[in-house]
């Protein structure tokens, strides 16, 4: 451990200055409204493929931001599992994010790929995918992940640290075939805006925003450059 890192972890007086001195220089490829894809779905598929090829540790990880009934923001990481007419992820419908999406379906997703100095922010409205599609995906999951989804009362307090292990043992002894619980399944975020961010030297980053063209009957997008 370096002296600077130790100071940061120990909370010494140098902490603030150590954080402030952290720097990264971005050297990404240029991004322009004239050269990017006209369809943001094609553009993000290209970027995800490049993130996979660049050996990003979790290239399909994305933050999901929701809003509580009180109006407080909430954010966590979920995993993208499919791109169709939207972006699909799976979770417990009774979790905090599930309850927040039930109350307010508008949400925001954000990908960050540090190896490529890129991020993508996506705003839109969420909807549950069909029970059949959720069941189909559930059956592709490893058994341990299936058991976790069935046993875990996600976001609820656990007063017994052995609760989950005991619950999983009970389910394993009782059920030969694991079926998707009704409280677990997929959401699809239908985008109305994408923003692609490409890190560039001297903080002159490239930002390209796609916004759904509400004046067109066709599925088209208005593309603009934003200031960094």
């Amino acid at each position: 451990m370096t002296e600077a890192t130790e100071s940061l972890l120990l909370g010494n007086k140098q902490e603030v200055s150590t954080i402030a001195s952290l720097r990264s220089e971005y050297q990404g490829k240029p991004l322009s409204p004239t050269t990017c894809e006209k369809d943001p779905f094609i553009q993000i598929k290209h970027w995800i493929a490049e993130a996979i090829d660049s050996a990003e540790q979790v290239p399909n990880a994305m933050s999901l931001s929701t809003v509580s009934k009180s109006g407080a923001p909430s954010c966590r990481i979920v995993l993208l599992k499919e791109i169709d007419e939207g972006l699909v992820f799976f979770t417990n419908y009774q979790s905090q994010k599930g309850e927040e999406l039930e109350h307010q379906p508008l949400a925001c997703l954000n990908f960050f790929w540090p190896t490529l100095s890129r991020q993508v922010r996506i705003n839109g409205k969420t909807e549950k995918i069909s029970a059949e599609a959720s069941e189909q995906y559930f059956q592709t999951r490893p058994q341990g992940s299936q058991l976790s989804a069935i046993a875990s009362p996600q976001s609820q307090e656990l007063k017994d640290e052995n609760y989950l292990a005991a619950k999983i043992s009970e389910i394993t002894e009782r059920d030969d075939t694991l079926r998707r619980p009704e409280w677990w399944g997929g959401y699809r975020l239908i985008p109305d805006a994408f923003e692609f961010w490409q890190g560039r030297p001297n903080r002159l980053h490239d930002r390209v925003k796609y916004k759904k063209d509400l004046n067109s009957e066709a599925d088209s997008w208005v593309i603009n450059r934003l200031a960094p």
Side-chain angles (χ1 to χ4, degrees), residues 4 17 20 82 98 117-118 163 172 213:
S17 61
E82 184 180 0
S117 302
R118 288 174 175 173
Y163 171 85
T172 304
D213 187 355

Side-chain angles (χ1 to χ4, degrees), residues 199-214:
R200 299 284 290 143
N202 301 317
R203 297 301 192 269
L204 295 176
H205 310 308
D206 290 332
R207 294 173 63 191
V208 173
K209 184 168 185 176
Y210 294 74
K211 193 170 183 180
K212 204 70 176 287
D213 187 355
L214 301 179

Side-chain angles (χ1 to χ4, degrees), residues 34-45:
T34 60
T35 59
C36 63
E37 299 287 346
K38 301 305 180 186
D39 185 335
F41 285 95
I42 297 177
Q43 182 68 35
I44 195 170
K45 286 178 181 179

Side-chain angles (χ1 to χ4, degrees), residues 34-83:
T34 60
T35 59
C36 63
E37 299 287 346
K38 301 305 180 186
D39 185 335
F41 285 95
I42 297 177
Q43 182 68 35
I44 195 170
K45 286 178 181 179
H46 286 335
W47 273 24
I48 290 173
E50 291 182 23
I52 294 171
D53 290 342
S54 70
E56 287 282 357
Q57 186 173 1
V58 191
N60 62 329
M62 54 188 184
S63 64
L64 166 67
S65 296
T66 54
V67 180
S68 70
K69 290 183 180 180
S70 67
S74 180
C75 186
R76 77 290 288 159
I77 301 297
V78 296
L79 299 178
L80 174 71
K81 289 301 179 179
E82 184 180 0
I83 299 178

Side-chain angles (χ1 to χ4, degrees), residues 162-173:
N162 298 315
Y163 171 85
L164 289 177
K167 189 69 174 176
I168 287 174
S169 179
E170 174 191 327
I171 295 169
T172 304
E173 293 176 0

